[in-house]
């Protein structure tokens, strides 16, 4: 009898130990956030950029990423119906033909219901005639935008200026390295990051205009008139004030010709902002530490293989 009881005790102890081990592993590996990258058309190099976005997000270990591609320009869009509601965050890498009305409505339901969105680079060129989308991005450019789209928005004496003068929306000077200027050190996305840091060669969007419903301005940059810039301090990274939604707008990241020749997206500063912005959009919090290889105020830092951040 004692032998039988001892055997049962050992079996129970083994089961408890296994269950404890699995519980410990579950605690050590929290659920990955689900991200959807929307692409398929763009005046930029979307065949490379959407794959790089997926690499950065997935190699961080924080996200599981699906891709939703539209038909080519001028193609049949009727079957483009992503299930936005299935995701914690939607990353827009899209500038092209208008989606079907059903997809427009599903996207608005997702955003207005408190969804998370990342506006990446030229996605703020999209849908110039869709008023609600322009409120979701706050500032946009090109595609016929002008004074009817809303004011220019830039900084003067460290304060945002809304300039209603007439003129087209959206331009940029020659690509170059430039210093990012921090405007909010307390927001979860920027907390712990350097106030000033050197971004790798990239476009700097300027003369952007729109509803300008910026929530938190996180980083700006000074354009260079000598290389075609506006000569103004331009908002480049910010959140958008849009109801319950968490929207992160990242104007950086002009994609190079290949994933290997792609300094703006290989920049550790860009990758860090994408990851932290996506986590904040998904959860409202940021748990990622500041990577050790983050750029300094004078030196660019590249992570060419888009690997996970160095902790």
């Amino acid at each position: 009898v004692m032998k039988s009881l001892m055997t049962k005790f050992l079996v129970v102890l083994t089961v408890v130990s296994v269950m404890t081990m699995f519980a410990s592993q579950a605690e050590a590996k929290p659920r990955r956030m689900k991200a959807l990258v929307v692409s398929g058309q763009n005046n930029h190099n979307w065949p490379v950029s959407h794959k790089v976005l997926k690499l950065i997000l997935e190699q961080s270990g924080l996200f599981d990423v699906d891709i939703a591609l539209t038909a080519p320009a001028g193609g049949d869009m009727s079957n483009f119906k992503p299930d936005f509601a299935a995701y914690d965050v939607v990353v827009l890498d899209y500038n092209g033909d208008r989606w079907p009305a059903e997809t427009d409505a599903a996207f608005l339901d997702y955003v207005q219901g408190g969804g998370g969105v990342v506006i990446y680079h030229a996605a703020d060129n999209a849908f110039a005639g869709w008023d609600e989308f322009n409120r979701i991005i706050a500032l946009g450019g090109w595609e016929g935008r002008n004074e009817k789209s809303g004011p220019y928005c830039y900084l003067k004496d460290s304060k945002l200026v809304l300039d209603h003068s007439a003129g087209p929306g959206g331009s940029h000077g020659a690509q170059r390295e430039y210093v990012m200027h921090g405007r909010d050190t307390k927001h979860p996305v920027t907390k712990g990051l350097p106030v000033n840091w050197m971004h790798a060669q990239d476009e700097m969007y300027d003369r952007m205009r729109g509803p300008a419903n910026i929530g938190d301005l996180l980083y700006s940059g000074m354009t260079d008139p000598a290389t075609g810039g506006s000569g103004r301090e331009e908002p480049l990274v910010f959140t958008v004030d849009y109801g319950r939604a968490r929207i992160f707008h990242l104007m950086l990241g002009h994609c190079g010709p290949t994933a290997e020749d792609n300094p703006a997206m290989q920049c550790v500063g860009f990758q860090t902002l994408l990851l932290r912005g996506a986590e904040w959009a998904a959860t409202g919090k940021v748990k990622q530490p500041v990577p050790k290889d983050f750029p300094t105020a004078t030196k660019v830092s590249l992570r060419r293989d888009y690997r996970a951040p160095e902790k």
Side-chain angles (χ1 to χ4, degrees):
V1 174
M2 281 297 292
K3 187 176 181 181
S4 176
L5 287 174
M6 182 61 72
T7 301
K8 289 180 180 180
F9 174 74
L10 290 173
V11 169
V12 170
L13 187 62
T14 301
V15 170
V16 169
S17 297
V18 170
M19 290 177 66
T20 302
M21 180 184 70
F22 280 122
S24 174
Q25 289 178 346
E27 287 179 10
K29 295 182 179 180
R31 181 185 75 88
R32 290 190 179 203
M33 291 165 278
K34 293 183 66 178
L36 177 69
V37 174
V38 177
S39 194
Q41 294 182 38
N42 211 308
N43 59 315
H44 288 61
N45 191 9
W46 70 264
V48 171
S49 61
H50 82 277
K51 293 176 182 177
V52 169
L53 293 170
K54 179 180 171 73
L55 263 179
I56 296 169
L57 291 166
E58 285 197 331
Q59 291 192 160
S60 72
L62 299 172
F63 297 88
D64 287 321
V65 182
D66 291 332
I67 301 291
L69 299 181
T70 67
D76 181 7
M77 297 283 279
S78 60
N79 291 322
F80 181 68
K81 300 176 182 178
D83 182 10
F84 298 110
Y87 296 91
D88 300 304
V89 61
V90 174
V91 181
L92 296 183
D93 177 28
Y94 183 82
N95 176 31
D97 296 343
R98 186 69 178 266
W99 300 334
E102 179 182 343
T103 304
D104 284 359
F107 180 66
L108 287 183
D109 284 347
Y110 170 77
V111 180
Q112 293 172 351
V117 181
V118 173
I119 310 296
Y120 155 68
H121 198 52
D124 62 20
N125 297 187
F127 306 138
W130 185 5
D131 289 343
E132 209 58 37
F133 182 80
N134 284 308
R135 283 188 276 275
I136 288 170
I137 64 174
L139 293 175
W142 295 274
E143 304 300 325
R145 287 178 170 86
N146 56 30
E147 59 274 13
K148 295 180 181 178
S149 308
Y152 292 119
C153 182
Y154 51 86
L155 285 92
K156 188 173 182 180
D157 299 326
S158 298
K159 294 182 180 179
L160 279 176
V161 173
L162 301 183
D163 179 347
H164 293 270
S165 9
S171 64
H172 60 78
Q175 292 189 41
R176 61 189 176 91
E177 296 179 357
Y178 52 82
V179 178
M180 299 289 291
H181 300 145
R183 299 292 168 181
D184 186 334
T185 59
K186 296 180 180 179
H187 191 277
V189 171
T190 54
K191 189 174 183 180
L193 299 182
V195 175
N196 298 317
W197 55 273
M198 184 67 75
H199 181 36
Q201 180 176 302
D202 198 352
E203 296 175 342
M204 183 188 288
Y205 280 4
D206 59 22
R207 300 182 179 93
M208 304 295 274
R209 59 191 319 159
N213 49 317
I214 291 175
D216 303 287
L217 177 59
L218 304 180
Y219 281 104
S220 63
M222 175 59 75
T223 62
D224 182 2
T227 59
S230 67
R232 298 168 175 162
E233 185 81 17
E234 299 281 353
L236 299 174
V237 186
F238 52 86
T239 68
V240 179
D241 184 6
Y242 188 84
R244 295 163 51 205
R246 287 185 297 272
I247 302 171
F248 178 70
H249 192 150
L250 179 62
M251 291 187 182
L252 312 183
H254 182 79
C255 187
T258 66
E260 295 73 31
D261 180 13
N262 191 18
M265 298 184 80
Q266 289 169 321
C267 176
V268 173
F270 169 82
Q271 293 178 39
T272 302
L273 287 177
L274 174 67
L275 289 171
R276 292 170 73 96
E279 182 183 5
W280 173 81
T283 69
K285 300 176 181 179
V286 174
K287 296 182 179 179
Q288 302 167 53
V290 177
K292 291 181 179 179
D293 56 345
F294 198 86
T296 69
T298 57
K299 188 177 179 181
V300 166
S301 176
L302 300 180
R303 200 179 293 144
R304 298 180 187 277
D305 56 3
Y306 312 104
R307 65 184 181 277
E310 296 179 9
K311 298 178 180 179

